[in-house]
Amino acid sequence: MEVSFSKEVEALRLGEGDTFHGEGILAITKGLLQSGVAYVGGYQGAPVSHLLDVMVQAKGYMDELGVHVEACSNEASAAAMLGASIHYPLRGAVTWKSIVGTNVAADALSNLSSPGVTGGVLIVVGEDYGEGASVIQERTHAYALKSSMCLLDPRPDLAVMVRMVEQGFQLSETSNMPCLMELRIRTCHVRGSFACKDNLAPAVSTRALMTDPAGFDYMRLAHPPVTFRHEKLKGDERIPAARRHIVAQGLNELMPGGRHAELGIVVQGGLYNALIRGLQQQGLADAFGESEIPILVLNVTYPLVPEQLADFCLGKRAVLVVEEGQPEYIEQDIATLLRRRDIQTPLHGKDLLPSAGEYGVEVLSGGLAAFVAKYVGEGETAASALSAQAWLAGNRERREAVARRLDVPLPNRPPSFCVGCPERPVFSALKLAQQATGPVHIAADIGCHAFGTFEPFSMGHSILGYGMSLASRAGVSPMMNRRTLSIMGDGGFWHNGLLTGVQSALFNGDDAVLLIFKNGYTSATGTQDIISTPDDEVKERAVDKQQSLVDKNQTIESTLKGLGVQWMRTVTTYDVERMRRTLTEALTSDFDGLKVVIAEGECQLERQRRIKPWIASLLQRGERVVRVKYGVDEDVCNGDHACIRLSGCPTLTLKDNPDPLKLDPVATVIDGCVGCGLCGANAHAATLCPSFYRAEVVQNPKWHERLLHGLRGAVVRALRPA
């Protein structure tokens, strides 16, 4: 991995008397070490990627502490690591993106939760929900409910978050239940500080090994008939123990109110900051976060403590439950426990707040306004209420005013590949191939290549999960007159695709076509290394070369051959014409069976991270450097713009035609071009107008190059019309 976290790694070494400054997710990472974690695993994904990235780069320091760190092949293998804590007093932590990662890990989590754990278990999940999310809109809460796992949702304050890490391990050990900790995007990236403690080396570790294994205990297996006993233990012993610990340690926080103690708000910990800002808009909280209405902050959202909630709601005129997402698990649970105790306090939640979507400040302000209007005296808060309503109305008016000023709607700006991405040429080739084969059903997948579902390519009929594309076409292929195409990245191949897709297709003898993008990394999650990543020595030797580096690593090809794949082609992605021919062959070949096309091209982002420092060092030493740039001859460009529709490169755009007799704008290549050559390759493969040219920009040229440049300039000036 080329991204360096050296500063973050150093922050992990801070101890008693030091102050940590940084992001929430890095504070969580420090909290794990302060809690004596023995092993850490996971699979990267926003917004918690940095936890594992930093741990992996801190391997030297982890070895000093005796902490084992493992970058797992998928979330299921990470969850399976937690089996170490079933028998042994080992504190373990794993991390992944939720809800998709939790879906993958669900089987292992169920089998872990049934026998319970001896050592503390903390599962840090990135709750990627809401406006900035990149996954399906579901919540982790359902998994905590169904499997009886504690669910922590810490208030976005670094000191609170770190304390909840430490308490999460204790809660897990006290209740024998695994603990989930959900961290929203804003919580992961909130910045702040906290007073550090010394890191704790685990008692049992890679530096202090166990002598003997645990004795056999059938009760520690998730296997009938003991699973029936496990189910009773969850309700009779584990959940009550968790509730006692929550109360004893004060994990949920009661914020006393001021003038309106007769009202109350129950809020998920992660939403506390937005709630306070919403109350400020209503004039019900000051700049320091002191609220006029009592707030019960649920840093532990499962299990709820009935007595705690009953005491909070008893005697109040009304209580508002602020719970993001649907179904409203917490609101329903509170309503049930209140009615069982015959507490008739009016309970509000989804009747005043939206049932779905992220609860930002503006959304919460609208719900709070309705709550305040119903239960707070008009005279007392009239000015504040009017101010809040004016603020909300002003937001609406500004949006409407902007819309009115636009003569035409703003053009869509769909997400796109990075400039020079090696995957873009493949979709260009696929467009051209379908001119010969006809349209094909395309099963898409999770990864950078999912950008191919956006314009100008708009390719992909389904996305069913990471590495699931080949499996997802299994029901379509037999019903289709033409072969289907499945697209998968090398990250998805190793995550799930090898067994879920390839093995199944070979076993069933399916006549399928699989396109694997081999860019050398799990790029969409932050360009982490995988088993098919080229090693550092290869990168150093080829640092100044334009071609892909991943051809040095044949792990994918060897694996497919060993599994029995007979038809396989490897093509450099930037060779559009060859890729077009290969895809056409795969879709029309007489061979009956799985056909695999490996599209090989190193992630451009990683390539730039590698070569830019190298180029900078050459320039600093005054050495000659040649950079390739592409451009468009505006006198040749015919204004058809097929080149743009075929490539979608952000650096290939339009400008006004310099010819006053022509109205159509011409294509142009703007700054940012990395010289991948796609525009020229497309023009050749699709027989477009020959308006593209390739230029070499020479820095620190030799003396003879300067002389030749001067002579050329003189000739051009002499031939130029007067």
Side-chain angles (χ1 to χ4, degrees):
M1 182 168 50
E2 302 294 336
V3 179
S4 174
F5 292 97
S6 56
K7 292 182 179 179
E8 290 81 356
V9 170
E10 284 304 309
L12 297 182
R13 295 179 177 271
L14 297 175
E16 190 73 38
D18 295 324
T19 301
F20 176 97
H21 299 277
E23 285 190 317
I25 189 58
L26 299 175
I28 295 289
T29 309
K30 178 69 170 75
L32 294 176
L33 300 180
Q34 293 183 176
S35 303
V37 69
Y39 63 94
V40 179
Y43 193 85
Q44 300 87 354
V48 293
S49 292
H50 286 181
L51 192 159
L52 195 60
D53 290 343
V54 171
M55 284 286 198
V56 169
Q57 291 199 15
K59 187 179 186 305
Y61 182 48
M62 296 302 105
D63 290 342
E64 291 178 28
L65 292 173
V67 177
H68 174 63
V69 178
E70 189 156 316
C72 302
S73 59
N74 57 35
E75 297 84 359
S77 63
M81 281 185 71
L82 299 173
S85 298
I86 294 177
H87 284 281
Y88 304 102
L90 297 169
R91 287 187 167 181
V94 294
T95 182
W96 55 68
K97 179 191 191 81
S98 198
I99 186 76
V100 288
T102 309
N103 289 338
V104 174
D107 193 17
L109 292 179
S110 293
N111 284 280
L112 176 74
S113 300
S114 188
V117 296
T118 301
V121 161
L122 190 66
I123 305 157
V124 181
V125 297
E127 192 76 347
D128 195 8
Y129 178 88
E131 182 180 350
S134 59
V135 296
I136 46 181
Q137 295 294 279
E138 294 181 0
R139 297 168 57 196
T140 305
H141 202 106
Y143 283 92
L145 291 174
K146 80 170 186 65
S147 297
S148 294
M149 294 183 286
C150 297
L151 180 60
L152 313 179
D153 189 358
R155 180 163 61 89
D157 176 278
L158 264 58
V160 174
M161 293 160 65
V162 172
R163 178 172 182 263
M164 291 304 295
V165 171
E166 299 167 350
Q167 285 294 325
F169 282 117
Q170 293 182 26
L171 177 61
S172 177
E173 291 161 350
T174 299
S175 65
N176 303 125
M177 299 164 67
C179 281
L180 288 157
M181 175 180 281
E182 60 176 352
L183 302 173
R184 293 170 179 78
I185 294 173
R186 287 179 173 83
T187 305
C188 284
H189 299 310
V190 68
R191 300 191 68 86
S193 60
F194 69 92
C196 296
K197 298 179 183 178
D198 291 334
N199 295 332
L200 299 178
V204 178
S205 70
T206 58
R207 301 178 67 87
L209 304 178
M210 295 181 285
T211 303
D212 298 306
F216 176 76
D217 184 356
Y218 192 72
M219 279 293 295
R220 294 293 182 181
L221 297 174
H223 191 272
V226 294
T227 49
F228 306 119
R229 174 62 179 155
H230 294 163
E231 186 179 22
K232 288 186 63 66
L233 285 173
K234 288 178 179 179
D236 295 346
E237 296 182 12
R238 298 177 190 172
I239 292 177
R243 286 170 171 162
R244 289 192 296 269
H245 186 87
I246 291 167
V247 173
Q249 297 299 322
L251 301 189
N252 294 328
E253 301 172 280
L254 176 60
M255 309 295 188
R259 293 172 296 157
H260 301 291
E262 78 285 0
L263 300 175
I265 299 175
V266 179
V267 62
Q268 293 171 286
L271 300 180
Y272 175 79
N273 290 358
L275 172 65
I276 288 296
R277 181 60 181 147
L279 288 170
Q280 289 173 351
Q281 294 294 330
Q282 301 291 331
L284 294 171
D286 61 21
F288 300 99
E290 298 294 329
S291 172
E292 297 293 340
I293 299 177
I295 302 173
L296 179 59
V297 183
L298 298 178
N299 291 315
V300 183
T301 53
Y302 183 81
L304 299 178
V305 182
E307 296 77 17
Q308 189 177 59
L309 285 157
D311 290 345
F312 180 76
C313 294
L314 190 63
K316 286 191 165 45
R317 292 175 54 216
V319 170
L320 176 67
V321 179
V322 179
E323 176 184 7
E324 191 174 60
Q326 59 180 337
E328 58 271 32
Y329 298 112
I330 298 173
E331 185 180 344
Q332 292 176 13
D333 205 351
I334 294 174
T336 299
L337 70 88
L338 291 181
R339 298 305 171 256
R340 284 177 178 170
R341 287 162 174 76
D342 197 26
I343 298 174
Q344 301 303 317
T345 303
L347 193 68
H348 296 280
K350 296 298 183 184
D351 56 335
L352 301 180
L353 289 160
S355 62
E358 185 177 8
Y359 280 3
V361 174
E362 191 169 354
V363 171
L364 285 174
S365 295
L368 288 169
F371 184 71
V372 169
K374 187 168 185 177
Y375 292 104
V376 178
E378 292 184 4
E380 187 177 353
T381 61
S384 298
L386 287 174
S387 175
Q389 291 297 336
W391 177 68
L392 291 170
N395 292 341
R396 290 192 296 270
E397 289 172 3
R398 279 189 291 275
R399 294 190 186 100
E400 293 170 359
V402 169
R404 286 194 299 269
R405 285 200 300 270
L406 295 174
D407 296 330
V408 294
L410 288 173
N412 291 327
R413 296 186 64 187
S416 183
F417 298 99
C418 297
V419 175
C421 175
E423 300 184 0
R424 181 182 284 109
V426 181
F427 286 98
S428 297
L430 184 53
K431 260 191 172 184
L432 297 174
Q434 290 184 84
Q435 291 179 344
T437 66
V440 298
H441 175 92
I442 298 175
D445 210 308
I446 302 294
C448 292
H449 43 83
F451 287 127
T453 60
F454 296 103
E455 295 178 347
F457 304 114
S458 301
M459 295 179 184
H461 292 83
S462 62
I463 296 180
L464 269 295
Y466 200 18
M468 302 277 283
S469 59
L470 187 57
S472 71
R473 56 83 242 163
V476 178
S477 293
M479 314 298 174
M480 189 69 65
N481 186 47
R482 195 174 290 128
R483 281 178 183 149
T484 61
L485 175 70
S486 303
I487 296 175
M488 188 184 301
D490 44 6
F493 175 82
W494 295 118
H495 178 276
N496 201 6
L498 175 61
L499 295 181
T500 303
V502 176
Q503 181 272 145
S504 179
L506 290 172
F507 177 75
N508 290 286
D510 290 350
D511 184 22
V513 180
L514 172 63
L515 171 63
I516 299 176
F517 283 105
K518 183 183 174 187
N519 65 21
Y521 307 86
T522 48
S523 299
T525 63
T527 61
Q528 289 85 8
D529 286 358
I530 50 180
I531 192 172
S532 51
T533 299
D535 58 41
D536 292 337
E537 183 181 353
V538 172
K539 295 176 186 177
E540 289 299 323
R541 286 202 308 265
V543 71
D544 59 337
K545 296 183 188 258
Q546 295 285 339
Q547 67 263 33
S548 165
L549 302 182
V550 289
D551 59 340
K552 306 294 182 183
N553 189 316
Q554 296 291 306
T555 312
I556 293 178
E557 290 88 342
S558 300
T559 301
L560 291 172
K561 289 176 183 176
L563 207 58
V565 174
Q566 300 177 36
W567 195 106
M568 182 163 54
R569 307 283 188 272
T570 299
V571 184
T572 301
T573 62
Y574 296 106
D575 191 340
V576 176
E577 174 57 26
R578 186 181 170 206
M579 181 63 71
R580 180 191 65 78
R581 293 197 308 266
T582 304
L583 290 171
T584 302
E585 180 188 1
L587 292 168
T588 59
S589 170
D590 293 334
F591 179 81
D592 187 6
L594 179 61
K595 291 159 283 293
V596 180
V597 178
I598 298 176
E600 188 174 71
E602 187 194 12
C603 169
Q604 187 67 226
L605 192 60
E606 281 301 294
R607 178 177 175 274
Q608 293 300 318
R609 284 172 177 158
R610 190 178 68 255
I611 69 173
K612 281 184 177 180
W614 173 74
I615 291 175
S617 67
L618 293 179
L619 292 174
Q620 191 173 12
R621 296 196 301 266
E623 296 187 28
R624 180 178 182 272
V625 174
V626 179
R627 293 183 296 112
V628 175
K629 289 286 186 180
Y630 286 82
V632 177
D633 187 334
E634 57 194 31
D635 293 327
V636 178
C637 177
N638 61 15
D640 174 65
H641 310 144
C643 54
I644 295 176
R645 295 192 296 272
L646 188 55
S647 76
C649 177
T651 62
L652 182 58
T653 184
L654 302 175
K655 72 173 185 179
D656 291 336
N657 199 316
D659 188 337
L661 299 179
K662 296 180 180 179
L663 298 178
D664 292 332
V666 295
T668 185
V669 179
I670 60 176
D671 289 341
C673 172
V674 296
C676 71
L678 171 60
C679 47
N682 276 343
H684 170 70
T687 321
L688 304 179
C689 68
S691 57
F692 288 94
Y693 62 83
R694 180 182 184 274
E696 291 184 352
V697 180
V698 181
Q699 293 175 275
N700 297 329
K702 303 297 184 182
W703 68 269
H704 63 277
E705 291 176 309
R706 294 178 184 274
L707 177 61
L708 184 59
H709 176 72
L711 291 173
R712 286 171 176 166
V715 172
V716 170
R717 286 191 295 273
L719 296 175
R720 186 177 297 160

